[in-house]
Every structure is written in structure tokens, then in C-alpha cells.
């Protein structure tokens, strides 16, 4: 996830673009850059680090001009260093891009064979080369971008500026957001509305498969096939604060709703449907190593630990490799048996959690292969690991992890499937069926999100509870733990997650009519056993909230039922966690707690 912006007007644009990028910084902040046409040629300034570093550079080396593009980056391909910062320039073409070009490897190879020299490790730079080549063939900038898009596969919102034309910027969008603002003698486009609000409230949201040319006088929009688009601007009434949260009341709610997109971005370019396999060059686990490794050890804390439990389960059941999941904060202090033949997977949103980092270092010193599953490029855990499988969830602002959790589930699922294929535990046919279902999961998440209002009503009904229980079996037991953690950390309601079968060994004593018990009852291999556990709760008057695929399942058992779409058992947590996140959110919101920054907690825990 990155933020892009383009401005065509009458004012000096560098400060305007910089301010717009500041409004987009929530989308990424590891490096930034800006290109301005000074009337003669393109001038570029780029800097690694926060936007303030670019600001300092511009103060020392100002840019003058009234047409320009800018970018704030959340690295996906290539480290967050200056040469990977956007804009990327080739010949007379500068490009900023948000998204992931899936077929960048093959395109880059082809362009290199044609003699093109690359100066970055990004997927974006190929776009600059392709547009440059097309303009050299005599196409206008608009047509050159159109011709380039025909070659790209993946997600993009791009803004393109040419050195030989200071009057326009060309934009295009597919699966990444892009909005065009229309002011008085000024057009400004950006990834999100907050970047435009100081200039205009009249906006046109571009749709997938559209490209646009903006000049001072207006916008010309067409579909890729040349069909003209005449969509009048709409007026937005959000305050700046609302706009930064995409109109949501809190970042957490926004991030919950971003999950289908985060999942799509994490799967993009890695799921190879035609080959019934996964692209795994990032892993640092060669096919040979995958075949011969003896054990997988997952290390993580908090929510990431719950994702690790999911990974452990799938690595065992799908890849048939012995696997354990360990709390990183405990791992080092028991002189663990770990070393050669072990693949240690360090799971972390931030990539900076001190306990996880220290545990992974310990395992590395003892000879284990380390794989980082992290969301932040170039973070400490990514740097110390032999390989990194990045989740592409984009920056997560709310302290409670939501979209990074589901992106971790997806990454670990892909790891399990990859190992399963290499070890022969998973046939191509079964892998093909699973992968086809996996790419359908984001749509099922969207359906689950559409039920938010119903979940909010349930939250209102239970918001005064002092305690709550979350129960699940099999893969759903990790979901139960995560549901309980979400509720306690943001609403301060005491909550526990349990494997359903454990209830009779103690926790059942807690159940009475005041106890909300959230029961995960998807149609999977654990359903029958789980139903027996729910009967035990009902017999003690527990207030059952059932998460089901089929409504009949919870008849006569549940006070409240939440129906979510069915998926393959292996992917169920990706869908069932959604109502649990929403439930926690709405309980917290109705109780009036500080949802995004709950008391006593920090987003990144860099102390042991
Ligand atoms: C989750 O909502 C928490 N904020 C917390 O448990 C978090 O998952 C944990 O601190 C680990 O962080 P990491 O993923 O950045 O390593």
C-alpha cells in the first residue's frame, strides 16, 4: 500500500504535493519522492525514511513548477532505500505507482534483453520503461499509457508525467484506489480523498480499467477499450479527520473493512492457479530444503502467535511436517532444542517485536533456517532472516491487529501448501482445488463484512458483560483465542479463548446466564464435537452467540446467530474471524473506550 498524488494547476506544486503526501502518509511512510516539471524538464527528489526527510531535502534543493507527481511508499518489492523510492524515471517519463505488478519479472527480463538498464529493485520501474518505449514509437502519453497497461497484470494506480509536456498527467487504475479532484483551474488526483480536500470537494472516483488525462481545465476519462466515461464529480462532505479514516469512525474499523483487499494483495503474484502451485522465490526455502526439513517451529507473540497456531496446524495437516508454535517470549528461556533441519518461522506484523526478534536470533545461532513472515519491509526480523514472506496488508495504525492477522493467516497457508506440494503430501489436484477456493476467500470476507450491522446489534446486547468466553475446535481454536484477545484489549472486558473440548475440564464452572459464550461452529470436521460442547454451555444457561455457515446448526442453542459464507476447512478462520473483530470493535465503541489506542498498550513492543 502506498500513496500517490498528481497536481496540474497554477501554483508552485512541490509544497502542495508534499502536503498531500502528508495526508496519505497513513498508507506508507518508508520513503517518498516527487517529480516536478519546471517548464523545461523533469526534476526529481527522492529520500528514504519518513516524509520529513523529503521535506528537508526539498528545503535544501527546492523544485519549481506547477505540474508534478508524488509518492509515499510502503515497500513491497525492494528495500525502502532511496533508489527504490518513486517516482521512477526512464527517458523522459516519470511514474508513481501504488499496487503490485504481478508479471514484472518476465517484463523486466524482456526489457533487459532489449538493452534497458534498471536502477531499482521495484516492480514499478518497468512501467516507466514501457511508457517511454511507447512514446518513442510516436504514441501520445495517453496512448502510451494505454498500450503499457495492456501488458501489465496486477494491481495499480499510477500517475505518469512526461518531460516533453508540462500540461498534463496521465492516470490509470486497476484494483488500487484513485480519485480525481476538480478545482478552479486546478486538477489534483490522489490515492485518497484527504490529499485533495484543501483544494476541492468535487471528486470523481476512477473505476478499475479506466485511464484519465488531467490538465488545468479538466479530465478526459476513458475505459481501456476506448469507451469514453462521462462521470460527473460528486461532492464529499467529510471532515479532514473523517477522510483520513476513509469515513470510518476509527482506524480499526477501517482496517477490518480493508481485509479483503489486504488478502488479495498478499495472494497476488504468489498463487499460480494454472500450475496448482505457489511462487516461493522469496522464502529462502529451496525445493530441496522443503523436502528435507525435519520440523517447522513458529515463533510469535500476541495476535501473531494466534496466526502461528494456524500455521502449525496447516503445516502438519497439509504438508505432513511436524510443527510447533511457541510464544517467542518464552522460547529463549528454556534452552530449546532447535537447530539444523528446523525451519523457524518468525511471525510478526511489525518485524520489530523484541521477543520474536531475540527468539529468532537464538534459533539462527543454533543453526536453524529462519523465515520471516512480516508486514514491514526491511524490519529487523526481515533483515536477520534467511528469507522473508511479506504480508501486503499495508500499514496498520490501530493497536489491535486485524488486517495483518488475516494477511498472516494467508501467508502461512501459502507456506503450508508450498511445503505440501514439494514433499508430495499434497497432490496437484487437491492443491488446485484449494488454491481456487483461496482466491475466492476475499469475496467471502466481503459478505461477512456486509453483516456488520447485525453484529453491532449483538454487541449492544452484550456490551455490559463483565466476562466472555470464545470457543472453537481444530483451526477455530486459534480463532477463539484471537477473538478473546481482540475483545479484552480494546473493550477491557475480561475474555478467554478455549478449545471447546477443554470446557469440561474447568472453565464450564464460570458459565451462567450472564456469560456471553461465542461459539465457532463452521461446517467442518469438528462441528459435531463442537455442538456437544455448546450443549454443555446451554445446559448451564450460557448466552450462546453462534458463528455458523448454516443457520439450522444453532437452532435452539443460540441467543444470537451470525452466518458467514462457507469455505474450505483450511481457510475457515479467514472468514470466521471477521464477525469476532467486528463484535469486539462495537462492544468497545459502545463502551466508549479508546479503540485505536487502548490503555497500557503499544503498537510495536520493542522491549522484552
Ligand atoms: C494484537 O492486537 C496486539 N496488538 C499484539 O498482540 C501484537 O500482535 C503483538 O504485540 C505482536 O506484534 P507483532 O506482530 O508486531 O510482532
Amino acid at each position: 500500500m502506498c500513496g500517490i498524488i498528481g497536481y496540474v494547476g497554477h501554483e508552485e506544486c512541490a509544497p502542495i504535493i508534499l502536503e498531500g503526501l502528508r495526508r496519505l502518509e497513513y498508507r506508507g511512510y518508508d520513503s517518498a519522492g516527487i517529480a516536478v516539471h519546471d517548464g523545461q524538464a523533469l526534476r526529481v527528489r527522492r529520500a528514504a525514511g519518513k516524509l520529513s526527510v523529503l521535506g528537508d531535502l526539498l528545503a535544501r534543493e527546492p523544485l519549481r513548477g506547477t505540474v508534478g507527481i508524488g509518492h509515499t511508499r510502503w515497500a513491497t518489492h525492494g528495500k525502502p532505500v532511496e533508489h527504490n523510492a518513486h517516482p521512477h524515471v526512464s527517458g523522459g517519463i516519470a511514474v508513481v505507482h501504488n499496487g503490485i505488478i504481478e508479471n514484472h519479472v518476465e517484463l523486466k527480463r524482456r526489457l533487459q534483453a532489449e538493452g534497458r538498464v534498471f536502477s531499482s529493485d521495484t516492480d514499478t520501474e518497468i512501467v516507466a520503461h514501457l511508457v517511454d518505449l511507447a512514446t518513442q514509437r510516436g504514441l501520445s502519453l495517453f496512448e502510451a499509457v494505454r498500450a503499457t497497461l495492456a501488458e501489465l497484470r496486477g494491481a495499480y494506480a499510477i500517475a505518469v508525467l512526461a518531460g516533453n509536456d508540462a500540461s498534463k498527467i496521465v492516470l490509470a487504475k486497476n484494483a488500487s484506489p484513485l480519485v480525481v479532484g476538480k478545482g478552479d483551474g486546478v486538477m489534483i488526483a490522489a490515492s485518497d480523498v484527504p490529499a485533495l480536500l484543501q483544494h476541492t470537494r468535487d471528486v470523481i472516483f476512477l473505476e478499475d480499467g479506466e485511464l484519465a488525462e488531467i490538465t488545468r481545465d479538466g479530465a478526459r476519462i476513458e475505459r481501456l477499450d476506448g469507451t469514453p466515461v462521462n462521470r460527473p464529480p460528486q461532492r464529499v462532505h467529510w471532515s479532514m479527520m473523517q477522510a483520513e479514516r476513509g469515513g470510518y469512525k476509527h482506524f480499526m474499523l477501517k482496517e477490518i473493512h480493508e481485509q479483503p483487499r489486504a488478502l488479495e494483495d498478499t495472494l497476488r503474484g504468489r498463487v499460480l492457479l494454472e500450475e496448482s502451485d505457489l511462487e516461493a522465490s522469496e522464502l529462502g526455502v529451496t525445493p530441496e530444503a522443503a523436502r528435507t526439513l525435519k520440523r517447522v517451529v513458529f515463533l510469535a507473540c500476541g495476535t501473531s502467535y494466534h496466526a502461528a497456531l494456524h500455521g502449525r496446524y496447516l503445516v502438519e495437516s497439509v504438508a505432513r511436517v511436524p510443527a510447533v508454535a511457541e510464544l517467542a517470549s518464552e522460547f529463549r528461556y528454556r534452552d530449546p532444542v532447535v537447530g539444523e533441519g528446523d525451519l523457524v518461522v518468525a511471525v510478526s506484523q511489525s518485524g520489530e517485536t523484541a521477543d520474536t526478534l531475540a527468539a529468532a536470533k537464538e534459533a539462527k545461532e543454533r543453526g536453524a533456517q529462519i523465515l520471516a513472515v512480516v508486514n514491514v519491509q526491511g524490519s529487523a526480523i526481515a533483515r536477520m532472516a534467511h528469507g522473508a514472506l511479506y504480508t501486503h496488508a499495508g500499514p496498520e495504525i490501530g493497536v489491535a491487529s486485524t488486517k495483518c492477522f488475516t494477511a498472516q493467516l494467508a501467508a502461512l497457508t501459502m507456506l503450508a501448501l508450498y511445503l505440501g506440494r514439494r514433499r508430495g503430501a499434497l497432490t496437484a489436484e487437491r492443491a488446485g482445488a484449494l488454491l481456487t477456493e483461496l482466491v475466492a476467500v476475499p469475496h467471502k470476507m466481503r459478505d461477512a463484512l456486509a453483516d456488520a450491522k447485525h453484529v453491532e446489534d449483538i454487541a449492544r446486547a452484550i456490551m455490559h458483560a463483565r466476562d466472555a468466553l470464545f470457543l472453537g475446535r481444530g483451526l477455530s481454536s486459534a480463532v477463539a483465542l484471537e477473538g478473546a484477545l481482540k475483545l479484552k484489549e480494546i473493550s477491557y472486558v475480561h475474555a478467554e479463548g478455549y478449545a471447546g473440548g477443554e470446557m469440561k475440564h474447568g472453565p464450564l464452572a464460570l458459565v451462567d446466564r450472564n456469560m456471553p459464550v461465542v461459539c465457532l461452529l463452521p461446517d467442518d470436521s469438528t462441528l459435531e464435537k463442537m455442538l456437544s460442547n455448546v450443549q454443555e454451555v446451554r445446559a448451564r444457561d450460557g448466552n450462546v452467540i453462534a458463528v455458523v455457515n448454516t443457520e439450522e446448526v444453532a437452532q435452539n442453542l443460540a441467543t444470537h446467530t451470525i452466518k458467514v459464507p462457507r469455505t474450505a476447512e483450511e481457510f475457515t478462520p479467514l472468514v470466521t474471524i471477521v464477525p469476532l473483530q467486528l463484535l469486539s470493535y462495537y462492544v468497545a465503541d459502545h463502551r466508549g473506550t479508546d479503540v485505536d489506542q487502548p490503555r497500557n498498550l503499544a503498537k510495536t513492543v520493542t522491549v522484552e
Side-chain angles (χ1 to χ4, degrees):
M1 196 156 111
C2 305
I4 70 169
I5 185 164
Y7 174 94
V8 195
H10 295 289
E11 292 181 59
E12 284 299 332
C13 70
I16 294 172
I17 291 173
L18 201 59
E19 175 56 22
L21 291 178
R22 210 179 61 68
R23 302 285 175 191
L24 297 174
E25 217 177 354
Y26 76 89
R27 303 179 60 83
Y29 41 74
D30 59 37
S31 51
I34 172 170
V36 170
H37 200 300
D38 69 359
Q40 313 223 290
L42 294 176
R43 310 282 172 203
V44 178
R45 301 282 182 269
R46 305 187 298 183
K50 295 238 172 186
L51 201 55
S52 54
V53 184
L54 179 67
D56 293 345
L57 176 64
L58 283 165
R60 289 194 308 275
E61 300 170 27
L63 292 177
R64 301 197 63 89
T66 58
V67 181
I69 55 178
H71 188 269
T72 181
R73 181 166 186 248
W74 181 258
T76 59
H77 293 72
K79 291 198 172 73
V81 292
E82 198 245 319
H83 70 261
N84 287 331
H86 301 212
H88 290 287
V89 180
S90 173
I93 299 295
V95 176
V96 289
H97 164 225
N98 166 36
I100 297 168
I101 306 297
E102 279 176 40
N103 55 338
H104 70 101
V105 176
E106 62 194 74
L107 289 172
K108 186 167 180 175
R109 270 194 212 119
R110 193 191 83 201
L111 289 163
Q112 281 172 325
E114 289 168 15
R116 288 267 154 174
V117 178
F118 283 75
S119 56
S120 79
D121 314 310
T122 65
D123 51 337
T124 304
E125 194 182 345
I126 56 139
V127 181
H129 283 280
L130 288 171
V131 176
D132 183 44
L133 279 169
T135 52
Q136 284 182 19
R137 289 201 306 272
L139 295 181
S140 68
L141 185 61
F142 194 73
E143 292 308 327
V145 171
R146 194 201 304 272
T148 298
L149 298 181
E151 300 209 51
L152 303 184
R153 226 174 39 234
Y156 52 77
I158 56 171
V160 187
L161 179 60
N164 64 2
D165 189 345
S167 68
K168 61 171 75 86
I169 292 170
V170 175
L171 311 159
K173 167 187 157 46
N174 187 47
S176 297
L178 194 53
V179 55
V180 179
K182 187 172 174 9
D184 190 11
V186 47
M187 294 295 290
I188 177 164
S191 301
D192 203 354
V193 173
L196 316 178
L197 281 186
Q198 283 187 330
H199 306 277
T200 178
R201 288 184 169 269
D202 296 326
V203 303
I204 302 169
F205 291 93
L206 291 187
E207 302 282 348
D208 288 348
E210 289 180 353
L211 69 164
E213 179 179 272
I214 55 170
T215 61
R216 285 175 191 90
D217 306 321
R220 160 191 170 203
I221 306 175
E222 284 186 11
R223 296 206 51 79
L224 281 181
D225 63 9
T227 317
V229 175
N230 296 307
R231 193 176 309 118
Q234 63 188 82
R235 185 144 271 235
V236 287
H237 298 282
W238 295 339
S239 68
M240 187 64 88
M241 191 87 114
Q242 279 174 315
E244 279 175 0
R245 294 177 191 142
Y248 292 100
K249 189 170 175 191
H250 294 100
F251 278 110
M252 181 185 176
L253 187 60
K254 176 171 181 269
E255 286 157 5
I256 289 173
H257 282 271
E258 279 174 355
Q259 290 182 105
R261 197 269 315 141
L263 190 58
E264 279 161 355
D265 284 352
T266 300
L267 300 178
R268 182 166 285 120
R270 291 161 166 171
V271 172
L272 309 175
L273 278 181
E274 278 166 23
E275 289 139 63
S276 300
D277 211 340
L278 292 133
E279 155 61 43
S281 49
E282 310 147 276
L283 295 186
V285 183
T286 61
E288 177 57 17
R291 268 190 291 278
T292 54
L293 65 89
K294 296 196 174 60
R295 186 173 68 139
V296 180
V297 178
F298 293 92
L299 298 175
C301 300
T303 287
S304 297
Y305 173 69
H306 301 151
L309 291 173
H310 176 86
R312 177 200 67 181
Y313 192 106
L314 284 192
V315 162
E316 282 200 345
S317 64
V318 174
R320 309 304 300 156
V321 187
V324 289
E326 304 262 2
L327 285 169
S329 53
E330 289 292 315
F331 183 72
R332 283 196 309 154
Y333 302 104
R334 59 174 177 70
D335 196 10
V337 180
V338 67
E340 240 173 88
D342 286 332
L343 173 66
V344 167
V345 184
V347 188
S348 173
Q349 176 279 131
S350 59
E352 300 289 344
T353 299
D355 285 320
T356 311
L357 178 61
K361 276 185 180 160
E362 175 93 23
K364 189 179 181 186
E365 274 160 26
R366 294 178 188 224
Q369 179 80 7
I370 313 295
L371 168 63
V373 173
V374 295
N375 196 47
V376 182
Q377 281 256 350
S379 53
I381 295 173
R383 291 198 307 274
M384 62 72 60
H386 299 104
L389 177 57
Y390 286 103
T391 51
H392 293 314
E396 194 175 61
I397 313 284
V399 164
S401 187
T402 53
K403 62 176 180 172
C404 285
F405 174 66
T406 42
Q408 287 169 343
L409 295 183
L412 297 175
T413 299
M414 288 191 282
L415 173 66
L417 297 178
Y418 171 74
L419 294 179
R421 286 295 293 127
R422 300 291 80 68
R423 295 173 75 92
L426 186 64
T427 63
E429 198 188 355
R430 176 87 185 116
L434 283 173
L435 291 171
T436 304
E437 178 59 21
L438 185 57
V439 295
V441 170
H443 305 293
K444 299 188 176 186
M445 272 180 156
R446 282 188 184 100
D447 288 347
L449 286 163
D451 209 16
K453 178 73 189 67
H454 172 54
V455 179
E456 182 175 6
D457 292 342
I458 300 172
R460 213 175 275 116
I462 64 160
M463 63 177 276
H464 298 295
R466 217 188 45 188
D467 310 279
L469 285 172
F470 289 74
L471 307 181
R473 297 190 76 135
L475 279 166
S476 295
S477 61
V479 180
L481 292 175
E482 176 58 9
L485 178 62
K486 284 289 86 77
L487 185 64
K488 69 183 120 183
E489 72 175 328
I490 58 165
S491 73
Y492 319 146
V493 173
H494 169 238
E496 300 289 344
Y498 273 99
E502 279 297 291
M503 284 300 283
K504 53 190 175 295
H505 300 294
L508 208 48
L510 294 170
V511 175
D512 62 17
R513 66 168 51 81
N514 299 318
M515 176 72 90
V517 186
V518 180
C519 300
L520 293 150
L521 293 162
D523 294 346
D524 65 14
S525 59
T526 68
L527 180 60
E528 255 181 50
K529 292 267 183 286
M530 227 351 246
L531 281 171
S532 308
N533 302 140
V534 182
Q535 293 284 5
E536 292 159 9
V537 171
R538 267 313 294 148
R540 274 95 189 157
D541 280 340
N543 179 9
V544 173
I545 299 161
V547 179
V548 299
N549 295 142
T550 323
E551 243 144 344
E552 297 72 57
V553 158
Q555 249 169 22
N556 308 323
L557 275 181
T559 319
H560 305 283
T561 303
I562 304 168
K563 191 175 167 206
V564 294
R566 184 186 288 111
T567 178
E569 180 157 355
E570 289 80 354
F571 314 141
T572 299
L574 285 160
V575 183
T576 53
I577 190 60
V578 171
L580 271 50
Q581 295 166 338
L582 288 168
L583 188 70
S584 304
Y585 170 77
Y586 286 118
V587 168
D589 188 36
H590 291 308
R591 287 169 70 103
T593 57
D594 186 344
V595 172
D596 283 333
Q597 293 180 328
R599 69 186 183 198
N600 307 340
L601 300 180
K603 183 66 187 162
T604 304
V605 184
T606 50
V607 289
E608 282 185 47

